[in-house]
Amino acid sequence: MGIGRFVYTAILPLMHAQAGLSAAAGANVATANYVGYLVGALAGILAPALVRSRAVLRGSLLALVATLAAMPLGESVAGWLLLRLVAGVASALVFVVAVSSLLHHLRDRPPHLPGWAFGGVGGGIALSGLLVLALRSVTDWRAAWWASAALTAVLACAAWNLRPESAPETPAAAVAEPGPRTHRWFGALFVSYGLEGVGYIVAGTFLVAAIGQGSPGWVGNGAWVLVGLAAVPSAAVWAWLGRRRSRPDLLLAALLVQAVGIALPALVGGTAAALVSAVLFGGTFIGISTLALATGAHLRFPRSVALLTAGYSVGQIVGPLAVAPLLQHGYRGALPLASGVVLAAAGAAAVLRIGFPHHMLVVRHPEETRHTDGGRRPEPTRDAGPDTVAPHRTAG
């Protein structure tokens, strides 16, 4: 999924130089992918049976391979829009099936294991960057798409027999423990995560092209490889930090670090700044998603993960469209705006920290409700970790 969704970022500069793709058209093609991702994510949320289907997983893997292989077959922007739209739907479905599977089958394992599995997205980003880096000087944009399709096919074979989540058992009767109203904190979280969707996707789409404007040819794709490598351990690292610091604090810190990373190539320039930017960006974007979704689950706001996913996905659609007017003179101008949006997200995260209800009672069973008759009260639970988010609703 990391290749199928993000290889466009690495190939975009080649298409700009060799296929005549304008900056505005490139933003539109990116947006089509994000619209498809929103459709696929919502399908997984609204129809949970999809994420328990091996046929859906396999069909989505095949669709990813086919759409990558078909990109070089024409030079129509409309055709590219359609292909990236389908690839977005397939990417989202692969993601929700894989995540629901790993959270279901690793439920009783250490929480860092799901974090490492989320790092597979970073692995795909790194592989796509290495692939384009190796090919860019010896072939053209068409070969880059075909090679990415071949690599995706190899990984699809490895994932072919992944066991989806089992059908849910009938839950035991339980009584929700009444808790404080959380609208205030959830509103701040929703605004923060939606703004992150806008800022993150601008960097996730145009970072390679922006770095390539002021650096040697290899630096852009080299930076994209670093983004992927930094993303591989990031979810596990942020989950580990969550045992020691509160999630609102970590969310604020991650957003501030990401804002600095996005702005560096535009404000400082040079190879060193580009590579540092890649590490800071790659090390935060998956961690921010897991922290935000876990915080929403902790607040027990109705359908929190679904709402957060929808807001984040809409932000991803808005991002490329919002910066399109700034791309007439290249891609670097989009980065300061994206950094400013992420800083605004950090501001909303700072509001989230004020009076945040860190200890909330979640669920107690009927036999524990009779505390007035000598029964025992349930113990306060710790904040839910990223691995406790409802599996079929984690398509961030």
Side-chain angles (χ1 to χ4, degrees):
M1 179 273 203
I3 296 172
R5 186 166 185 223
F6 291 106
V7 71
Y8 176 73
T9 301
I11 299 178
L12 177 60
L14 294 180
M15 296 184 70
H16 183 66
Q18 300 172 5
L21 183 68
S22 68
N28 291 335
V29 172
T31 300
N33 185 252
Y34 308 141
V35 170
Y37 192 84
L38 174 60
V39 171
L42 291 176
I45 291 167
L46 299 175
L50 291 177
V51 305
R52 297 192 294 271
S53 170
R54 181 169 287 183
V56 168
L57 171 66
R58 291 177 172 178
S60 299
L61 292 171
L62 292 175
L64 270 183
V65 175
T67 55
L68 293 174
M71 283 292 289
L73 298 182
E75 296 190 11
S76 163
V77 173
W80 291 333
L81 285 167
L82 179 59
L83 288 171
R84 294 308 290 162
L85 178 73
V86 175
V89 175
S91 295
L93 290 174
V94 169
F95 185 78
V96 295
V97 174
V99 170
S100 65
S101 174
L102 75 93
L103 295 186
H104 175 75
H105 295 299
L106 298 181
R107 182 175 298 155
D108 299 322
R109 301 296 182 90
H112 66 86
L113 288 179
W116 282 107
F118 274 98
V121 177
I125 291 173
L127 287 172
S128 66
L130 285 170
L131 186 70
V132 177
L133 187 62
L135 295 176
R136 64 183 305 276
S137 61
V138 297
T139 188
D140 64 1
W141 66 277
R142 292 182 179 87
W145 280 110
W146 284 324
S148 67
L151 183 56
T152 302
V154 171
L155 295 176
C157 290
W160 195 252
N161 290 321
L162 178 71
R163 288 185 299 141
E165 176 191 10
S166 304
E169 299 176 358
T170 303
V175 178
E177 178 75 16
R181 292 173 62 86
T182 58
H183 296 74
R184 166 183 134 195
W185 295 289
F186 184 80
L189 178 64
F190 183 84
V191 171
S192 178
Y193 196 48
L195 290 172
E196 160 66 4
V198 176
Y200 135 78
I201 206 60
V202 172
T205 304
F206 302 122
L207 186 65
V208 173
I211 290 174
Q213 285 183 230
S215 303
W218 64 270
V219 176
N221 288 114
W224 194 237
V225 173
L226 278 182
V227 168
L229 293 177
V232 170
S234 63
V237 170
W238 288 106
W240 176 78
L241 291 173
R243 299 180 181 179
R244 291 156 176 79
R245 299 297 300 269
S246 74
R247 287 195 180 83
D249 287 345
L250 291 175
L251 184 61
L252 174 60
L255 287 165
L256 291 173
V257 170
Q258 187 181 96
V260 171
I262 292 174
L264 270 178
L267 300 181
V268 178
T271 300
L275 299 182
V276 171
S277 166
V279 172
L280 296 181
F281 178 68
T284 52
F285 77 92
I286 293 179
I288 288 171
S289 288
T290 57
L291 288 168
L293 294 174
T295 302
H298 170 75
L299 288 172
R300 294 163 45 204
F301 193 86
R303 296 190 62 77
S304 64
V305 179
L307 290 170
L308 290 170
T309 297
Y312 187 73
S313 298
V314 170
Q316 292 180 103
I317 295 169
V318 170
L321 297 177
V323 301
L326 304 176
L327 303 180
Q328 297 177 358
H329 305 291
Y331 295 97
R332 294 183 69 177
L335 297 184
L337 177 60
S339 177
V341 173
V342 175
L343 282 176
V351 174
L352 175 68
R353 298 173 64 246
I354 301 173
F356 186 82
H358 295 287
H359 301 290
M360 294 177 62
L361 301 178
V362 180
V363 172
R364 61 180 183 178
H365 293 278
E367 61 269 20
E368 296 179 317
T369 64
R370 297 186 298 272
H371 54 268
T372 55
D373 298 324
R376 56 188 176 92
R377 290 181 180 270
E379 293 295 325
T381 61
R382 296 177 57 188
D383 290 357
D387 56 310
T388 65
V389 177
H392 67 276
R393 293 183 289 184
T394 57

